[in-house]
Amino acid sequence: MFSSLSDRLQDTFDKLRGKGRLTEDDINLAMREIRMALLEADVNFRVVKGFVARCKEKCMTAETLESLNPSQNVVRIVLDELTQLLGSTESRLVFAQNRTPNVIMMVGLQGSGKTTASAKLAYLLKSQGHSPLLAACDTHRPAAADQLETLGAEIGVRVYRGDGKDAVAVATESVRDAVDHLNDIVIVDTAGRLQIDEEMMREAVAIKRAVRPDQILMVVDSMVGQDIVNVVQTFAERVDFDGVIMSKLDGDARGGGALSVREVTGKPIKFVSMGEKPDSLEVFHPDRMAKRILGMGDVVGIIEQAQKLADDQQAADAERMLREGFTMDDLLSQMQQIRKMGGLQKIIGMIPGMERAMAQNPAANVDDSQMARIEAIIRSMTKEERARPKIINGQRRKRIAAGSGRSVQEVNQLIKQWSEMNKMMSKMRGMTENMGGKAGKKNRRAMANMMRNMGLK
């Protein structure tokens, strides 16, 4: 998502970087290219017109034209306006303190990922200490309730189905059921249609009146282009939703819909869905998304993902590795942690400039399939070989290669990588053992530099 737009915008900024001073013609040309990039990304033309006009007005100031770094000023202005376009600040769910249960109503078109988003939201709220209940109020689509119940069972959240005929009755009864079972949140999954129709709208309005939801969230398929504008405007007028969940943001669509929603409706994007797994729903941060679109990455996001996975066991493992060395089981564990963070491709997309650098140098590309090959090699080793890779001789390497379906050269390469990692651990261990006196001060400085180079500090 946004890769084409990101490339176009970065190319535009690259053309400005070689200039010591920007003229009005330079700015006009840059704005024209930004306009074309946004239109090609399927951003609504009215949104594009307003965005480019605001950027141009700010770029034409005397301060910008006389700046020592004019291209940086343009990037800063576009970043600020893009952040504003996406919502300026993050918008979280607001719950009523004097009401139990709180009710969240989900609306949207059929195929937008509404039922899946309902389950993902339930999973997120459960992880935050809440006790959610899912209400299957889509009584029109065949097997919709079955789908929700399957998803609920997967994440350990109850689903209320009622008689499966009257959506308004099911929604009302689900609130009473939540009170009886001490659930503090009810997530109402309503019906959708392939297109907006009056019957769907009347039912949504009736459910809203019956359960008086604290939050109404509209699920929007980010693969949809400019058509999204008419859809969200209609829902905003009829049910007056509070925020948007953008689904399928990990796809390869141009992303124009996501850039249009906030400007057209004034409603904030609250969450984005970045995958198929239950834990793939994330709070939307406009500033971080704007930086990623401009190729600046999302380092804070990487840190937060890592912190989610950090626990006492990992701290103990790190101390053991520093004391005893790095084993193949440790390498396998690290790869599993990367997979939990969304995989290499997601992490690469969050590192400033990395995605573009990989695109320009295909030979340097790494992907999750390479991790799978390494995992196959490690799993073909015996327990002793994983703990002490130094014992892996030529005969063992042939056996491991045959068992994993890889070549002996690939096994050799992995063992070489392990050896380099272990040397680094050995250096760090030596430094920690000599932290006193002048030598210790020097070692601490060297260790800090090493950690900084590794991206750990």
Side-chain angles (χ1 to χ4, degrees):
M1 183 66 71
F2 297 124
S3 59
S4 178
L5 173 61
S6 180
D7 289 342
R8 284 291 302 271
L9 292 176
Q10 289 180 64
D11 287 342
T12 300
F13 299 142
D14 285 344
K15 293 175 184 176
L16 297 177
R17 287 194 179 98
K19 298 178 181 291
R21 185 187 179 109
L22 295 184
T23 65
E24 185 174 343
D25 288 340
D26 292 330
I27 292 175
N28 285 334
L29 180 60
M31 292 302 114
R32 190 179 304 120
E33 293 188 6
I34 290 173
R35 182 188 302 110
M36 290 302 299
L38 291 171
L39 289 173
E40 287 180 7
D42 219 5
V43 181
N44 180 267
F45 72 96
R46 291 191 183 91
V47 175
V48 174
K49 184 178 179 181
F51 177 83
V52 173
R54 292 191 298 271
C55 288
K56 182 176 179 180
E57 182 181 354
K58 291 185 178 180
C59 287
M60 292 298 290
T61 63
E63 180 184 355
T64 299
L65 289 172
E66 295 171 5
S67 170
L68 294 175
N69 293 296
S71 63
Q72 292 178 0
N73 271 308
V74 174
V75 173
R76 176 181 56 82
I77 289 168
V78 173
L79 175 62
D80 291 344
E81 287 299 323
L82 193 55
T83 303
Q84 192 70 29
L85 184 69
L86 289 167
S88 187
T89 57
E90 68 181 73
S91 176
R92 294 180 179 270
L93 291 176
V94 179
F95 296 115
Q97 299 297 319
N98 58 350
R99 181 187 180 191
T100 302
N102 277 249
V103 179
I104 301 173
M105 179 177 170
M106 310 287 278
V107 298
L109 294 182
Q110 185 175 323
S112 62
K114 182 160 41 60
T115 299
T116 306
S118 298
K120 290 177 179 179
L121 181 59
Y123 180 87
L124 178 66
L125 293 171
K126 182 183 177 183
S127 69
Q128 294 173 352
H130 294 284
S131 175
L133 170 71
L134 287 162
C137 297
D138 184 352
T139 58
H140 301 273
R141 182 166 62 91
D146 292 336
Q147 179 191 359
L148 190 63
E149 192 152 41
T150 300
L151 292 170
E154 184 181 342
I155 61 176
V157 172
R158 265 192 336 113
V159 175
Y160 183 83
R161 301 182 60 157
D163 63 5
K165 297 177 181 178
D166 185 341
V168 178
V170 173
T172 306
E173 292 163 7
S174 70
V175 176
R176 289 199 292 267
D177 184 81
V179 173
D180 293 341
H181 291 85
L182 302 179
N183 296 105
D184 62 343
I185 295 174
V186 177
I187 300 173
V188 179
D189 178 30
T190 63
R193 297 287 190 278
L194 293 177
Q195 292 181 339
I196 291 175
D197 63 44
E198 189 58 29
E199 182 186 355
M200 178 182 70
M201 284 301 173
R202 280 200 302 267
E203 184 176 273
V205 171
I207 292 175
K208 178 182 177 182
R209 287 174 181 165
V211 300
R212 295 181 294 111
D214 300 275
Q215 295 271 299
I216 301 177
L217 300 179
M218 181 173 179
V219 181
V220 174
D221 185 348
S222 59
M223 308 285 278
V224 179
Q226 290 203 33
D227 290 344
I228 201 174
V229 172
N230 297 325
V231 173
V232 295
Q233 281 181 326
T234 303
F235 272 95
E237 291 167 4
R238 297 297 295 274
V239 298
D240 190 27
F241 60 86
D242 299 287
V244 172
I245 295 178
M246 297 296 302
S247 66
K248 309 174 188 176
L249 206 64
D250 56 326
D252 57 0
R254 290 171 289 182
L259 296 176
S260 303
V261 169
R262 177 67 171 79
E263 182 81 357
V264 169
T265 66
K267 308 292 185 181
I269 301 173
K270 289 182 178 285
F271 299 98
V272 291
S273 178
M274 304 291 286
E276 296 297 324
K277 295 182 180 179
D279 62 353
S280 61
L281 192 70
E282 303 174 5
V283 174
F284 180 69
H285 301 278
D287 55 337
R288 299 185 194 176
M289 182 58 71
K291 287 179 180 178
R292 288 188 66 179
I293 292 173
L294 297 185
M296 299 176 184
D298 181 12
V299 177
V300 176
I302 295 177
I303 294 170
E304 286 184 351
Q305 290 283 349
Q307 286 175 337
K308 284 182 186 177
L309 301 173
D311 55 24
D312 294 339
Q313 182 59 47
Q314 287 180 321
D317 287 342
E319 188 177 339
R320 177 188 53 74
M321 283 188 279
L322 200 58
R323 185 177 63 251
E324 300 175 6
F326 194 79
T327 69
M328 286 293 179
D329 280 322
D330 294 324
L331 180 57
L332 187 61
S333 175
Q334 294 303 312
M335 289 195 301
Q336 289 169 344
Q337 295 298 326
I338 289 173
R339 191 172 287 121
K340 287 180 183 178
M341 290 173 66
L344 277 172
Q345 290 303 312
K346 181 177 178 180
I347 295 173
I348 286 170
M350 298 169 81
I351 300 173
M354 183 63 74
E355 201 167 24
R356 199 179 191 204
M358 289 293 186
Q360 292 173 347
N361 185 14
N365 251 328
V366 291
D367 56 35
D368 295 315
S369 63
Q370 288 177 275
M371 290 176 59
R373 290 193 288 271
I374 293 173
E375 184 173 344
I377 293 172
I378 294 175
R379 292 193 183 281
S380 295
M381 298 177 182
T382 65
K383 187 175 181 179
E384 186 182 13
E385 288 168 346
R386 290 191 204 180
R388 298 169 54 219
K390 287 183 179 179
I391 68 171
I392 302 176
N393 56 24
Q395 196 64 31
R396 289 175 185 258
R397 294 183 191 208
K398 288 181 182 179
R399 191 204 79 244
I400 292 167
S404 61
R406 313 311 309 173
S407 67
V408 174
Q409 288 78 10
E410 287 175 293
V411 176
N412 290 340
Q413 186 179 9
L414 174 60
I415 294 174
K416 184 178 179 181
Q417 289 171 340
W418 167 83
S419 179
E420 293 299 320
M421 291 178 189
N422 222 32
K423 286 178 184 177
M424 189 176 294
M425 283 291 174
S426 180
K427 288 180 181 178
M428 293 176 72
R429 183 167 61 250
M431 290 178 187
T432 56
E433 290 170 353
N434 299 284
M435 285 296 184
K438 293 182 180 179
K441 186 175 181 180
K442 182 178 179 181
N443 284 337
R444 285 195 297 272
R445 190 182 301 117
M447 186 174 181
N449 289 334
M450 181 184 295
M451 292 176 71
R452 192 175 295 110
N453 291 334
M454 292 169 64
L456 299 175
K457 189 171 181 181

